[in-house]
Amino acid sequence: MAYFANVDQIQYEGATSKSPLAFKYYNPQEIIGGKTMEEILRFSVAYWHTFTADGSDPFGVGTAIRPWNHLTGMDLAKARVEAGFEFFEKINSPFFCFHDVDIAPEGRTLKETNENLDVIVNMLKEYMKTSKTKLLWNTANMFTHPRYTHGAATSCNADVFAYSAAKVKKSLEVAQELGAENYVFWGGREGYETLLNTDMRLEQDNLARFFHMAVDYAKEIGFEGQFLIEPKPKEPTKHQYDFDVATGLAFLQKYELQDYFKFNIEANHATLAGHTFEHELRVARINGMLGSVDANQGDPLLGWDTDEFPTDLYSTTLAMYEILKNGGLGKGGLNFDAKVRRGSFEPDDLFHAHIAGMDSFAIGLKVANQLIADKVLDDFISERYSSYTYGIGLEIVEGKTNFRQLEEYALNLSELKNQSGRTERIKALINQYLLETLSLSKKINA
Ligand code: XLS
Ligand code: NI
Ligand code: NI
């Protein structure tokens, strides 16, 4: 049975295509800088937004019309798997991601929950034997159920800590079973609501203890996927301990965990932290910690995690710039942690949304690749910092000078001369590259 009967396999038709259900820029086999687009972009479908969510928001019930809406319990879970693989194939997604509770309902006990999970994991495994879609990452949802109201690994209640450990243990086994390339920790409730009732030091120490136990268990079972921390400053908790990449990195270093983790960077979380998406990618990249990406976008007019599909070409360009400069994403990928708007409630909207996101990143990839090939930013930057390549600048970076010598040098300076940063010139250049890439795509296709 087909769940998306009126949608055929989505094909690349090129920039001149008028067909809404076709890729205009994402051409999986097109070579960009020696690799195919498919290999570089490593797109992933988020199970929760695509198959589990119903379009509800804090003010209203679900709106989504889905072909599995009449089902409940395990029947619903199984239908979602069937629909999932139909969707992955039709959209041509190399990866997908899920939380434990997205794929199977929780039972009355932990044991029952694990049994439900086993049934669906076996089903996924069967499908994956013949499907080309692999598991980018999975994770344990430790934020929805009331038991996590005070946190999971940072709960004031040791029983909840233990329960959470059991959850992650099971999820690591699932990751191992399905060959997940990564395992994600997003601490939605690992933070505090008010300092008035919080032992911050104990909570953070416990979080580190939890991560160490996860590292140990992964080793024990031979799970070789990459561990990822997904920073977010707030929501649902007022303050989350994995605030942003810099905060997360300091935490990992303090607790000697930095060799076992990288970061999963979400665009909308970056902006909630008061950063740009590319800032978070850059901080991770220059520290060798860029692991994977939750590709979405926020809305500057709304102050929460709106999880919109990424369509801002300027942003996808700067993101792909960081990713290419990183030498790619390794085991990571671009996971659409994004949901269709509540008003986009038809099943076809799931395809339109993914096409929009995939095409936007394909354009970003092309533009970023050209910017790098032409050394557009590199040339500006190396010229801007050229004073560190000779004379006193060289002595500074080589650690061959001190305050005394620098004062002597400064006393002899007659005039300090700065050069323009040329921000607007650079932005105009990027626009030129964007428009050129777009018009070139049209010409190739015409
Ligand atoms: C929520 C997070 C979540 C993680 C996985 O804001 O983005 O969806 O990606 O738990
Ligand atoms: Ni996310
Ligand atoms: Ni998010």
Side-chain angles (χ1 to χ4, degrees), residues 127-328:
Y127 269 88
M128 287 168 79
K129 276 184 188 157
T130 51
S131 165
K132 69 162 223 182
T133 305
K134 295 190 281 186
L135 185 57
L136 184 67
W137 53 260
N138 64 311
T139 184
N141 173 324
M142 303 200 293
F143 45 90
T144 299
H145 194 278
R147 73 177 75 91
Y148 304 116
T149 186
H150 300 310
T154 63
S155 174
C156 49
N157 181 350
D159 285 353
V160 175
F161 184 104
Y163 194 98
S164 307
K167 276 280 187 186
V168 171
K169 176 179 176 287
K170 179 69 183 171
S171 282
L172 288 172
E173 290 158 12
V174 168
Q176 169 81 322
E177 183 78 17
L178 297 178
E181 308 228 351
N182 306 269
Y183 184 84
V184 162
F185 293 89
W186 171 61
R189 302 219 183 254
E190 312 291 30
Y192 64 82
E193 189 52 45
T194 168
L195 283 177
L196 298 174
N197 64 11
T198 300
D199 185 340
M200 190 195 270
R201 187 188 315 236
L202 178 64
E203 290 202 1
Q204 293 205 353
D205 287 351
N206 279 348
L207 185 57
R209 291 183 180 107
F210 194 92
F211 286 150
H212 273 290
M213 286 189 242
V215 168
D216 290 345
Y217 190 67
K219 268 190 205 153
E220 193 181 319
I221 62 172
F223 174 61
E224 287 181 353
Q226 170 70 55
F227 274 5
L228 299 170
I229 299 228
E230 183 178 324
K232 188 176 184 182
K234 56 187 172 195
E235 196 209 297
T237 313
K238 188 187 303 192
H239 178 97
Q240 279 166 215
Y241 294 136
D242 305 325
F243 191 92
D244 59 3
V245 173
T247 312
L249 182 56
F251 177 90
L252 292 174
Q253 284 167 341
K254 173 178 175 189
Y255 293 101
E256 295 180 355
L257 284 159
Q258 71 274 16
D259 295 343
Y260 308 108
F261 287 81
K262 284 189 175 173
F263 289 100
N264 181 37
I265 292 161
E266 178 163 326
N268 207 159
H269 296 185
T271 50
L272 280 177
H275 304 308
T276 59
F277 184 18
E278 57 273 18
H279 167 95
E280 287 293 81
L281 292 167
R282 177 74 62 95
V283 176
R285 166 165 83 79
I286 62 172
N287 287 290
M289 297 295 277
L290 176 49
S292 199
V293 169
D294 269 6
N296 62 13
Q297 71 184 30
D299 187 324
L301 301 183
L302 300 171
W304 63 89
D305 201 7
T306 58
D307 286 341
E308 296 173 26
F309 273 84
T311 51
D312 178 342
L313 302 182
Y314 210 90
S315 172
T316 59
T317 296
L318 297 187
M320 285 315 301
Y321 186 85
E322 296 302 326
I323 291 167
L324 290 178
K325 281 280 187 184
N326 191 57

Side-chain angles (χ1 to χ4, degrees), residues 51-54 63-72 76 80:
F51 308 110
T52 316
D54 61 2
T63 55
I65 300 169
R66 298 290 179 256
W68 48 83
N69 274 354
H70 59 290
L71 300 168
T72 56
L76 173 59
R80 282 174 172 148

